[in-house]
């Protein structure tokens, strides 16, 4: 189907010059050069409504009740020194003067403003406008087509000046509240002041969503943990949604169901990349909420259309639809593509007209700077049907969450706060934060550990919204209770809170966590991150953090520290780190240390992959003082150095005096070069036969070595080592062998929303499939990762179109690349945790 649509797309490009001019209004001299995006969704058709010079660099848009389209025309977003446009933004209004279905009238509705970001229409006919630093209300009282009355509703006082990470998204709820999105603001301190003097303050926490009355009163904080919530909307059931335009180091961006008190995990203070252990992208940390779905790159507007939510993906040149599925008191979603354009299609704003046709603004170019180019497209049903927004009604769990606020006692709220349904628990935590009799620190310690977390989270949210509600000494005591609790979730929560508030006086308590022999890998990781942040006060913006690496290296070097904790430290050190050196690792690798510590040192040497590391691995493999499993691990790491060490590996395989585990691994490594001995195998579709073949038994330790030297590690993490392109396979621990085997035999049967690959069609007809990588390409190209785990790059100007593929990036036929025994061992490894 995809290839057929590509063929249709090429045919469409050929004839477009003949078709487009007949459906345009106005003087559009460049119409013959325009290529419309391809309509993927059946039942819709597209037409070009406006193009430059009638509209340039359009941003957000909205339709009023009369069907008039208001569009922000940006002229201040990074203009060049010689830019010929006006020195301020404009709001244009397009209308149909003779009711013939064409927007033939163009008016400059508002002719001022800088860094204009959002629009919302109010019931009285006035319009709310957001700029980076304020929100105003404008009105055309005299009916001359131009708004002459302005009123400031909200002001942002901060030193940050970047155009689109301040105030942005706007929407109005069914009960008359105005909701405003705020971006990460580079983590700078800020004061938000409403017209009535009500305030919200902050800095460092990342993006937020606030609300206030449309008359500029009662400013309140609603949720936090976003990057830049550009798009906001309420669906037909009055749920609030945002499409978060999120950082490149932690793709993808997110579609989020926003609830009061919700923390969606991102904090700018811990780095722009979104990869710091104290940041949560998918609800990984306690009292953070997961998204409903992953979106395309740089999503802007989100609006309800039919039963779906539509999102404009600026970075991926497409319009997306999200069909909601219930998940407790929230929702998940699957993605469909409505429109897919080429690299000159950059959708930003979406507006639904009274007749339910959909307008779409198009920035056109990849340039961030204003460039005197722009489009407005209109989508309408080809069958003439009216599509009204009808998202699913509230689920029973959602209705239960709505009723939580009416609970009158702390005890009843705490009963709900421990619910495994994160959104239902959040409703109780938010209600607790408003409760007048919230437990003080002395009473919290007497509660069951799981209930302590609900009270602690409520105190954190209350202070966030009302800073003066919590004395510094009380906050320190609350964090002390959390870090000292006999509950890992409380510990994780307390460490993050301590880092947020720079509570360096609590460092000794945090450091005690690293003395626990029973500490989990997750708690170890978060404790190290919090301690290094409290010691240094900074976090690197990218994936790596030098301060954290320095602390890890110090811990790994300390031979007085418990071997298990040293092993955790080495596991967390990136393979790219300059320290420890190979000499350090060789020194630390001693037969009289624990097997766990030896294993992590060997894994780091294997991950380094250089010649010096290989020499250390050879020496370990030869040394009978090491456990058989460690020697076999070392041999496994030599699979990438066969040309240099083949003779030694053959000696390991042939020496009958060596333990079976060592000889077997050497033989398996050599088999990679000589090719597998063919064994009779059922076809991949015959799942039952495969399950009988490999459905029981296997050696998890040998399976870990299969993972290490196969394609798996190029895409996946396990136990802290590997790549982050695909899912972390540590999470498979406890899954059934049948399910894991199914994902290997049929990798495209179930593709997680975070790992949907792209199909790229180039101008010369080549078709490639890969996952989009967070790092930029070289020379104006996009970086992808192919099915073999290796990166490739495609220049933007060479892409004819790219869209989602229904095929997994995980290669088919993986079961053919290993012996039956290796596959059995790999399954045993993946279903059994070896990283305690």
């Amino acid at each position: 189907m995809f290839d057929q649509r590509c063929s249709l797309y090429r045919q469409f490009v050929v004839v477009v010059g003949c078709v487009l001019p007949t459906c345009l209004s106005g003087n559009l001299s460049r119409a013959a050069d325009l290529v419309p995006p391809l309509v993927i969704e059946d039942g819709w058709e597209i037409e070009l409504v406006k193009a430059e010079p009638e509209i340039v660099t359009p941003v957000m848009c909205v339709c009023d009740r009369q069907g008039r389209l208001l569009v922000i025309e940006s002229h201040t977003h990074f203009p060049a020194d010689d830019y010929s446009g006006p020195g301020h933004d404009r709001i244009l209004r397009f209308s149909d003067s003779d009711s013939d279905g064409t927007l033939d009238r163009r008016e400059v509705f508002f002719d001022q403003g800088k860094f204009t970001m959002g629009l919302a229409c109010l019931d009285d006919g006035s319009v709310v406008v957001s700029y980076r630093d304020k929100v105003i209300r404008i009105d055309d009282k005299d009916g001359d087509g131009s708004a002459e009355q302005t009123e400031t509703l909200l002001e942002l006082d901060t030193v940050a000046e970047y155009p689109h990470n301040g105030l942005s998204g706007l929407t109005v709820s069914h009960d008359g509240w105005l909701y405003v999105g705020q971006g990460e603001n580079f983590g700078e301190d800020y004061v938000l002041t409403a017209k009535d003097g009500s305030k919200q303050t902050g800095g460092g926490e990342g993006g937020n969503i606030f609300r206030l009355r449309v008359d500029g009163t009662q400013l309140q904080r609603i949720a936090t943990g976003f990057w830049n919530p550009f798009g906001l909307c309420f669906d037909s059931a009055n749920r609030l949604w945002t499409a978060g335009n999120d950082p490149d180091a932690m793709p993808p961006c997110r579609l989020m169901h926003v609830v009061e008190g919700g923390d969606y995990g991102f904090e700018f203070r811990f780095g722009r990349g979104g990869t710091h252990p104290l940041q949560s992208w998918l609800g990984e940390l306690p009292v953070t909420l997961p998204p409903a779905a992953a979106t395309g790159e740089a999503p802007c507007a989100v609006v309800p259309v039919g039963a779906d939510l539509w999102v404009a993906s600026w970075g991926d040149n497409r319009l997306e639809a999200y069909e909601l599925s219930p998940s407790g008191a929230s929702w998940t979603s699957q993605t469909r593509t409505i429109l897919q354009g080429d690299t000159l299609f950059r959708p930003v704003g979406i507006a639904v007209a009274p007749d339910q046709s959909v307008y779409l603004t198009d920035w056109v170019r990849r340039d961030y700077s204003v460039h005197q180019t722009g489009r407005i497209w209109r989508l309408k049903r080809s069958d003439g049907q009216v599509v009204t927004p009808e998202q699913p009604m509230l689920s029973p769990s959602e209705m239960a969450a709505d009723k939580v606020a009416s609970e009158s006692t702390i005890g009843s709220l705490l009963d709900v706060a421990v619910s495994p349904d994160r959104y239902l628990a959040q409703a109780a935590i938010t209600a607790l934060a408003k409760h007048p009799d919230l437990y003080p620190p002395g009473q919290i310690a007497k509660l069951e550990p799981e209930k302590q977390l609900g009270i602690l989270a409520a105190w954190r949210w209350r202070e966030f919204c009302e800073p003066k509600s919590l004395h510094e000494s009380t906050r320190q005591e609350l964090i002390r209770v959390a870090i000292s609790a006999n509950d890992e979730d409380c510990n994780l929560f307390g460490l993050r809170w301590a880092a947020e508030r720079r509570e360096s006086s609590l460092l000794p308590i945090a450091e005690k966590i690293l003395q626990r022999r029973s500490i989990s890998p997750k708690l170890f990781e978060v404790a190290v991150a919090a301690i290094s942040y409290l010691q240094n006060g900074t976090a690197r913006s990218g994936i790596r953090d030098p301060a954290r690496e320095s602390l890890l290296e110090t811990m790994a070097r300390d031979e007085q520290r418990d071997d298990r904790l040293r092993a955790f430290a080495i596991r967390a050190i990136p393979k790219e780190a300059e320290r420890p050196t190979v000499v350090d690792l060789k020194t630390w690798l001693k037969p009289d240390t624990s097997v766990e510590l030896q294993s992590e040192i060997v894994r780091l040497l294997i991950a380094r992959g250089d010649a010096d590391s290989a020499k250390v691995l050879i020496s370990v493999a030869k040394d009978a003082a090491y456990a058989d499993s460690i020697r076999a691990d070392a041999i496994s790491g030599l699979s990438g150095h066969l040309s240099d060490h083949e003779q030694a590996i053959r000696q390991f395989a042939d020496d009958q005096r060596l333990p079976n585990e060592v000889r077997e691994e050497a033989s398996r490594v050599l088999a990679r070069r000589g090719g597998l001995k063919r064994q009779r195998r059922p076809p991949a579709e015959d799942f039952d036969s495969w399950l009988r073949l490999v459905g029981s038994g296997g050696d998890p330790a040998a399976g870990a070595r299969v993972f290490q030297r196969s394609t798996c590690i190029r895409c996946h993490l396990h136990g802290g080592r590997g790549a982050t392109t695909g899912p972390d396979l540590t999470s498979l621990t406890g899954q059934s062998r049948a399910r894991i085997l199914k994902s290997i035999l049929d990798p495209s049967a179930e593709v997680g929303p975070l790992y949907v690959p792209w199909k790229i069609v180039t101008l010369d007809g080549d078709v490639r499939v890969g996952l989009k990588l967070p790092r930029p390409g070289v020379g104006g190209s996009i970086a992808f990762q192919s099915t073999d785990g290796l990166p490739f790059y495609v220049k933007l100007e060479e892409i004819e179109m790219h869209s989602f593929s229904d095929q997994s990036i995980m290669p088919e036929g993986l079961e053919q690349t290993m012996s039956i025994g290796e596959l059995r061992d790999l399954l045993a490894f993946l279903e059994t945790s070896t990283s305690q």
Side-chain angles (χ1 to χ4, degrees):
M1 177 62 75
F2 182 92
D3 294 330
Q4 292 174 351
R5 283 173 172 161
C6 289
S7 176
L8 289 172
Y9 183 78
R10 296 189 185 98
Q11 297 173 33
F12 198 30
V13 170
V14 172
V15 302
V16 72
C18 301
V19 174
L20 278 179
T22 65
C23 65
L24 297 177
S25 62
N27 179 23
L28 303 181
S29 59
R30 304 180 194 178
D33 299 325
L34 304 188
V35 178
L38 180 64
V39 179
I40 304 295
E41 181 88 344
D42 292 338
W44 292 89
E45 59 187 22
I46 190 170
E47 62 179 349
L48 182 63
V49 176
K50 298 292 175 185
E52 69 276 0
E54 286 196 288
I55 185 70
V56 299
T57 47
V59 192
M60 291 298 194
C61 60
V62 68
C63 279
D64 64 17
R65 291 193 170 187
Q66 287 74 45
R68 296 172 297 191
L69 179 68
L70 290 93
V71 182
I72 298 170
E73 186 178 71
S74 179
H75 295 279
T76 60
H77 197 275
F78 299 123
D81 292 340
D82 59 351
Y83 183 66
S84 59
H88 56 270
D89 298 335
R90 301 188 293 196
I91 297 174
L92 304 181
R93 188 168 70 182
F94 299 95
S95 56
D96 180 1
S97 64
D98 54 8
S99 301
D100 67 348
T102 300
L103 299 181
D104 57 327
R105 177 183 292 167
R106 175 183 180 275
E107 301 165 296
V108 179
F109 184 69
F110 196 61
D111 199 17
Q112 56 183 284
K114 182 180 181 182
F115 302 156
T116 316
M117 298 304 302
L119 294 171
C121 291
L122 301 182
D123 289 342
D124 65 358
S126 61
V127 178
V128 181
V129 184
S130 64
Y131 301 102
R132 191 211 186 282
D133 60 354
K134 62 182 175 181
V135 174
I136 68 171
R137 183 175 180 173
I138 62 177
D139 204 354
D140 175 16
K141 288 293 186 182
D142 59 13
D144 66 352
S146 177
E148 72 285 338
Q149 179 174 315
T150 64
E151 175 187 18
T152 299
L153 303 180
L154 185 65
E155 292 186 278
L156 172 64
D157 182 13
T158 184
V159 299
E161 295 181 333
Y162 191 77
H164 62 249
N165 68 349
L167 301 179
S168 53
L170 292 175
T171 192
V172 181
S173 67
H174 298 181
D175 55 357
W177 287 89
L178 174 65
Y179 286 72
V180 183
Q182 175 202 26
E184 31 74 26
N185 198 49
F186 288 145
E188 298 288 355
D189 290 347
Y190 64 87
V191 178
L192 265 179
T193 306
K195 182 182 176 182
D196 68 345
S198 54
K199 297 180 184 294
Q200 286 287 328
T201 62
E205 77 271 10
N208 300 279
I209 293 175
F210 302 92
R211 74 176 182 181
L212 67 163
R213 292 296 185 183
V214 295
D215 62 356
T217 62
Q218 303 180 50
L219 177 64
Q220 302 173 9
R221 190 186 303 269
I222 293 299
T224 191
F226 311 100
W227 177 259
N228 283 326
F230 283 169
L232 299 176
C233 77
F234 280 92
D235 66 17
S236 59
N238 207 31
R239 301 180 194 90
L240 178 60
W241 296 90
T242 188
N245 194 323
D246 293 327
D248 288 340
M250 186 59 198
C253 301
R254 301 175 293 171
L255 175 67
M256 287 161 281
H257 174 202
V258 181
V259 296
E260 185 175 2
D263 180 350
Y264 294 82
F266 176 77
E267 298 191 57
F268 192 91
R269 58 172 61 89
F270 300 132
R272 296 189 61 181
T275 58
H276 193 276
L278 297 179
Q279 292 171 333
S280 179
W281 217 243
L282 305 173
E284 302 95 329
L285 291 175
V287 201
T288 62
L289 297 177
T295 73
E297 185 180 350
C300 298
V302 52
V303 300
V305 176
D308 303 327
L309 298 172
W310 284 15
V311 173
S313 175
W314 183 93
D316 288 332
N317 321 104
R318 69 174 183 260
L319 179 63
E320 304 166 341
Y322 293 85
E323 180 180 353
L324 303 179
S325 300
S327 177
S330 187
W331 299 80
T332 58
S333 179
Q334 296 295 320
T335 312
R336 305 192 315 278
T337 300
I338 303 297
L339 290 178
Q340 181 65 62
D342 59 13
T343 55
L344 291 179
F345 177 60
R346 300 283 172 176
V348 181
I350 310 173
V352 180
D355 66 359
Q356 298 305 306
S357 61
V358 179
Y359 291 98
L360 194 65
T361 65
D362 181 359
W363 184 266
V364 178
R365 299 185 186 177
R366 190 168 181 259
D367 305 346
Y368 269 18
S369 57
V370 289
H371 44 66
Q372 297 287 340
T373 310
R375 317 273 192 265
I376 298 175
W377 304 91
R378 179 165 61 191
L379 278 161
K380 57 185 180 181
R381 293 287 302 181
S382 53
D383 57 11
Q385 293 182 357
V386 175
V387 181
T388 57
E390 293 180 356
Q391 282 68 48
M393 298 301 293
L394 294 181
S395 69
S397 295
E398 282 183 294
M399 289 188 284
D402 282 349
K403 293 177 181 178
V404 165
S406 64
E407 297 286 352
S408 58
T409 68
I410 289 182
S412 58
L413 289 171
L414 283 176
D415 288 340
V416 182
V418 300
S419 169
D421 184 331
R422 303 283 280 276
Y423 278 77
L424 183 58
Q426 183 57 56
I429 291 169
T430 303
L432 282 167
K434 299 177 181 180
H435 201 285
D437 299 320
L438 195 57
Y439 290 165
Q443 293 182 354
I444 296 174
K446 299 175 183 178
L447 294 170
E448 301 96 316
E450 61 271 19
K451 291 187 177 180
Q452 291 179 22
L453 182 60
I455 297 290
L456 292 164
W459 272 116
R460 173 178 174 265
W461 181 251
R462 178 187 287 189
E463 184 196 26
F464 196 15
C465 299
E466 304 172 25
K468 294 182 180 180
S469 66
L470 191 60
H471 191 274
E472 180 181 0
S473 61
T474 305
R475 178 178 65 247
Q476 291 173 353
E477 183 58 28
L478 288 166
I479 296 175
R480 186 177 289 108
V481 169
I483 296 177
S484 304
N486 186 27
D487 179 75
E488 181 167 312
D489 281 351
C490 281
N491 301 155
L492 294 168
F493 177 84
L495 289 164
R496 185 175 182 229
W497 196 3
E500 289 170 353
R501 302 300 299 178
R502 299 283 182 90
E503 294 287 1
S504 56
S505 65
L506 298 176
L507 262 171
I509 300 174
E511 289 169 342
K512 285 184 178 179
I513 287 181
L514 295 182
Q515 298 172 13
R516 300 180 188 174
R517 294 197 74 256
S518 60
I519 190 172
S520 71
K522 180 66 174 178
L523 183 55
F524 177 88
E525 177 187 47
V526 169
V528 168
I531 290 167
S532 62
Y533 185 79
L534 287 171
Q535 290 175 336
N536 297 276
T538 58
R540 177 65 67 89
S541 61
I543 293 175
R544 293 177 56 196
D545 182 351
R548 199 160 76 248
E549 289 178 22
S550 177
L551 177 58
L552 289 166
E553 194 263 345
T554 299
M555 294 178 64
R557 187 177 296 278
D558 183 3
E559 296 188 7
Q560 301 304 310
R561 192 177 292 270
D562 185 82
D563 277 2
R564 185 167 187 267
L565 297 179
R566 292 182 69 199
F568 279 174
I570 292 170
R571 178 188 302 175
I573 295 173
K575 65 180 181 181
E576 299 85 1
E578 295 180 1
R579 300 182 69 87
T581 65
V582 172
V583 173
D584 290 330
L585 294 173
K586 182 179 180 181
T587 302
W588 301 345
L589 189 56
K590 302 174 182 179
D592 60 351
T593 58
S594 71
V595 171
E596 185 176 12
L597 177 58
Q598 295 170 26
S599 177
E600 291 301 338
I601 294 174
V602 167
R603 291 180 75 206
L604 181 52
L605 288 166
I606 294 172
R608 291 271 177 88
D610 56 81
D612 289 339
S613 295
K615 291 177 182 177
V616 178
L617 295 174
I618 280 285
S619 67
V620 171
K622 291 179 178 179
D623 193 339
Y626 289 101
D628 296 348
S629 61
I630 296 298
R631 298 174 71 185
D633 287 349
I635 292 173
S636 173
L638 297 171
S639 60
H641 301 271
L642 264 176
S643 58
D644 296 325
H645 300 288
E646 183 173 359
Q647 182 177 356
I649 297 172
R650 289 195 180 280
Q651 290 175 351
F652 292 136
D654 296 339
D655 190 343
Q656 297 298 315
R657 296 169 299 175
L658 293 177
N660 287 339
E661 191 170 359
V662 175
R663 289 189 291 108
E664 172 70 17
E665 186 57 32
S667 297
R668 286 183 170 186
V669 169
L670 291 170
R672 315 313 299 173
R673 167 166 290 188
L676 293 173
K677 294 181 180 179
R678 296 304 301 169
Q679 300 167 277
R680 295 191 63 181
R681 301 163 183 249
E685 307 83 55
D686 188 355
F687 175 74
D688 291 339
S689 294
W690 272 103
L691 189 58
R692 286 193 295 270
L693 193 62
V694 297
S696 62
D699 180 353
R705 296 189 279 272
V706 175
F707 178 87
Q708 180 71 52
R709 57 179 149 72
S710 67
T711 305
C712 305
I713 202 167
R714 295 183 184 176
C715 296
H716 299 283
L717 278 172
H718 194 288
R721 291 282 170 222
T724 57
T725 309
D728 185 341
L729 298 188
T730 314
S731 63
L732 291 179
T733 298
Q735 296 280 354
S736 70
R737 179 170 296 201
R739 182 171 182 180
I740 299 173
L741 176 62
K742 183 75 172 178
S743 67
I744 293 174
L745 296 175
D746 188 6
S748 298
E750 184 178 348
V751 181
L754 306 188
Y755 307 104
V756 175
W758 290 82
K759 202 164 191 177
I760 306 100
V761 181
T762 63
L763 292 173
D764 58 8
D766 285 344
V767 179
R768 301 197 68 175
V769 176
L771 281 176
K772 188 173 287 187
L773 294 176
R775 63 179 180 269
V778 292
S781 62
I782 302 177
F784 298 90
Q785 181 165 313
S786 62
T787 56
D788 59 6
L790 299 176
F792 66 93
Y793 305 91
V794 183
K795 290 184 177 180
L796 284 167
E797 61 268 22
E798 295 177 356
I799 297 176
E800 179 172 336
M801 71 175 298
H802 63 310
S803 186
F804 285 142
S805 171
D806 58 2
Q807 297 299 303
S808 170
I809 189 66
M810 183 173 162
E812 294 183 355
L814 186 64
E815 74 281 358
Q816 302 293 334
T817 66
M818 60 188 79
S819 69
I820 300 297
E822 286 177 308
L823 179 57
R824 185 182 295 112
D825 291 341
L826 178 63
L827 291 169
F829 166 65
L830 292 176
E831 70 181 358
T832 306
S833 175
T834 59
S835 304
Q836 299 300 319

